[in-house]
Amino acid sequence: MTARQPARPEPPDGQHEPPDGRGEPPDGPAERSPAPSPSPPSGEGAGGGFGGGGRQSRGIVVARVPFPVVDEISRHCPDESQPETVHIEVHLPGRVDPARLRTAFHRALARHPRILMRQAPVRWWHRRYLWQLTAAPDVDPVDFPPPGPDALARARRRALDACPPLDASPPVRLEAIEDTGGGTVLVLTIHHTALDGPSCLRVLATAAELYGGAGNPPGPAPVRATGPGTERPKADDPPGAGRRFSRPARIAADPGRAPQGGRSGNSMLLAELPIPARPPRTPGGAAPYTVNDQLLVATWLMVARWNRLHAPAGPHRTAAAPSTAPVVITMPVDDRPRGAEMPLGNGTRLVSVGFGPEERLDAGPLTADPPDPDAVARLLRRTAARTRALKAAPPGRQLGLAATVLTAPVVPVRLRAAMTRALRTAAAPWTSTTLLSNIGRIPYPLDFGDAGRPTAVWFSAPARMPRGLTVTTVSVAGRIQLALRWSPVLLDDAAGVRLGTLFRSSLAATAWTAPPAAGASR
């Protein structure tokens, strides 16, 4: 199944800040709290507009939490044309009861109070941003848009184009769409400055438990047997770093792409793919590589093959040839527990998987159509060694030392914001090629009782320039749910579809085939 959802601009939510007389930041004088952004005009859905609509109230502040490093960096660099939204889409086979779902979700919010957050008012002299944790939601985040053949497409468009406001608790929106086939699609939109996808999925699992009446404990984490290459990398030899001082490759823009007309937001392609076969495990051992390694290799192949097809031609080209620039893939790693005690927020850390000299030697066979199986096998083994070393290394800072220094509350936030934006612009050429976020198997049953368990789940991460492309995968019922999300500055919708086709064939190229004498693959 493949679905393409172009992004279309919608009017941004308005914002105003009438006083309510509550709160005083610990590092500044008393300040009045902003009122939440007003709801869009009624008519978008039951209750009047996504976000639940209806009467809004200001929840009592029960605690104040300084912005962590990831939240502050994101808050420093807003871009209205590229909203920082995380999109989650859960397909259920049956209909949900609106009142029960709303009640269950609100009770889930109460069980996870860290999600009931809004940004405290800030003045330029304050040394930090603060989250205000509220006793109750400021707005109802649950909405039931009117059904129709384009209801799901419209919900997806909102998920790509419109962030839930940070000045109203919670910064999450849940829309329940009646599917034309008799099921329900839950579309969650998260402001990534406040929360990540796994955090919101944890809250949804609690809501499913409260809605269906059955337990939703997380499944056990997969046990991975140790294999060769698990030694920690030397401090001066990061695994797979490629050419340390080389600028990473970029996704080549399509020279024949259609004009975008100043369109904001992202575009997205959703697809369902088979999990590629792997060699059987040896008794008491591990497979030579994981599905995550296959996804990394498929992403590398997609980028390298795309760039070879769209390489600048002629002797006077100004861009580096795709074969000489190393492909670097950023990969989020989440070490948090998945139970009810899971810390909410932006809890993943980012690691980079670099591809460099060895891949350049095999560039011809790897970018052929189809890729050479022996070259792909070599790339899989090298990638597995790199990821094993990364996992064995001690966890580092989420965004590195530079981000920690930038967010130290030494100078006012406005000065830090200006420095952060300047450094972000200067560092743009060294940003990784793309981001691959592999959620893996959904750890919760997400049993919604009479509405059933999910038949499909998609996540998508924001695709801001200069990367301009993110790849997000989830494993559900033995299938890979793929979301490609891209900036219209980089690709148009037709190019995005061709890129998705390349990923499909690249993932298929990583599948293991048993030797003739070894029997069928499993």
Side-chain angles (χ1 to χ4, degrees):
M1 176 176 65
T2 302
R4 180 169 58 87
Q5 175 57 42
R8 301 176 189 172
E10 289 187 356
D13 294 335
Q15 295 187 0
H16 58 284
E17 297 191 1
D20 72 356
R22 292 194 183 97
E24 179 178 343
D27 55 357
E31 202 175 325
R32 301 184 184 276
S33 299
S37 300
S39 294
S42 60
E44 283 286 334
F50 47 88
R55 186 176 182 276
Q56 298 173 339
S57 61
R58 301 298 284 170
I60 297 173
V61 177
V62 296
R64 291 178 175 81
V65 179
F67 272 38
V69 170
V70 176
D71 300 19
E72 181 169 326
I73 294 295
S74 177
R75 176 63 181 80
H76 283 332
C77 303
D79 185 345
E80 291 184 2
S81 67
Q82 302 181 82
E84 284 281 298
T85 67
V86 176
H87 144 267
I88 305 177
E89 188 172 311
V90 179
H91 290 241
L92 301 175
R95 293 274 195 252
V96 298
D97 178 82
R100 282 174 60 196
L101 180 63
R102 176 172 277 123
T103 299
F105 197 73
H106 276 260
R107 290 176 61 195
L109 295 177
R111 287 197 183 183
H112 301 277
R114 182 61 173 79
I115 199 173
L116 290 172
M117 59 200 297
R118 64 173 180 244
Q119 182 188 315
V122 65
R123 297 294 182 263
W124 72 268
W125 60 82
H126 290 167
R127 287 177 296 166
R128 63 182 61 189
Y129 297 111
L130 294 175
W131 291 118
Q132 293 178 339
L133 306 188
T134 62
D138 295 333
V139 294
D140 181 4
V142 185
D143 194 22
F144 300 89
D150 63 344
L152 179 55
R154 290 167 61 85
R156 286 173 176 161
R157 189 187 72 220
R158 288 189 289 270
L160 300 181
D161 292 355
C163 281
L166 290 179
D167 59 1
S169 167
V172 173
R173 182 169 66 243
L174 170 62
E175 298 184 68
I177 313 296
E178 289 189 6
D179 193 356
T180 54
T184 305
V185 182
L186 304 179
V187 179
L188 293 98
T189 307
I190 311 158
H191 200 309
H192 204 0
T193 298
L195 298 158
D196 56 19
S199 294
C200 201
L201 188 66
R202 171 61 261 183
V203 177
L204 185 64
T206 301
E209 178 180 345
L210 295 169
Y211 181 95
N216 261 288
V223 177
R224 304 195 186 282
T226 58
T230 56
E231 65 278 359
R232 292 185 179 182
K234 298 178 182 178
D236 59 349
D237 187 22
R243 296 171 64 184
R244 186 179 303 175
F245 301 108
S246 297
R247 295 183 179 185
R250 290 277 157 259
I251 306 291
D254 185 359
R257 68 192 183 102
Q260 299 301 292
R263 196 176 70 188
S264 62
N266 290 164
S267 290
M268 180 173 67
L269 179 131
L270 305 180
E272 187 176 76
L273 308 175
I275 295 178
R278 287 183 295 155
R281 293 176 180 266
T282 58
Y289 47 81
T290 66
V291 174
N292 189 71
D293 295 326
Q294 290 175 291
L295 290 167
L296 282 165
V297 168
T299 303
W300 188 94
L301 290 171
M302 175 189 70
V303 172
R305 296 168 71 193
W306 175 269
N307 283 358
R308 184 161 188 169
L309 289 170
H310 298 84
H316 303 295
R317 62 190 183 191
T318 58
S323 60
T324 63
V327 173
V328 179
I329 301 174
T330 294
M331 182 175 67
V333 177
D334 194 349
D335 303 313
R336 293 172 292 182
R338 289 295 186 264
E341 75 283 3
M342 176 183 179
L344 302 190
N346 281 303
T348 58
R349 55 188 174 91
L350 302 180
V351 299
S352 291
V353 182
F355 299 82
E358 301 92 340
E359 285 67 44
R360 288 197 300 277
L361 293 175
D362 271 344
L366 286 171
T367 56
D369 186 18
D372 178 71
D374 292 336
V376 173
R378 290 192 294 270
L379 180 54
L380 282 166
R381 289 193 295 269
R382 290 194 298 267
T383 302
R386 290 163 179 162
T387 56
R388 282 195 295 263
L390 283 168
K391 292 172 184 176
R397 297 178 176 89
Q398 280 185 290
L399 296 180
L401 178 60
T404 303
V405 172
L406 278 173
T407 55
V410 178
V411 298
V413 290
R414 181 168 293 182
L415 295 179
R416 296 209 306 274
M419 289 188 293
T420 301
R421 287 191 289 269
L423 288 174
R424 183 186 181 105
T425 301
W430 285 270
T431 304
S432 62
T433 309
T434 188
L435 179 142
L436 167 66
S437 181
N438 176 30
I439 308 297
R441 290 191 296 270
I442 299 295
Y444 317 104
L446 295 179
D447 189 346
F448 279 84
D450 50 7
R453 297 187 178 192
T455 57
V457 178
W458 278 282
F459 282 69
S460 72
R464 292 181 61 170
M465 297 296 289
R467 286 192 192 104
L469 173 74
T470 60
V471 182
T472 312
T473 56
V474 186
S475 176
V476 178
R479 305 280 289 179
I480 288 177
Q481 314 289 140
L482 166 71
L484 287 184
R485 188 164 158 180
W486 63 89
S487 168
V489 176
L490 181 69
L491 303 169
D492 63 13
D493 296 331
V497 171
R498 295 199 301 275
L499 197 65
T501 301
L502 265 182
F503 186 90
R504 181 187 295 270
S505 62
S506 297
L507 183 63
T510 70
W512 175 75
T513 302
S521 63
R522 51 175 182 172

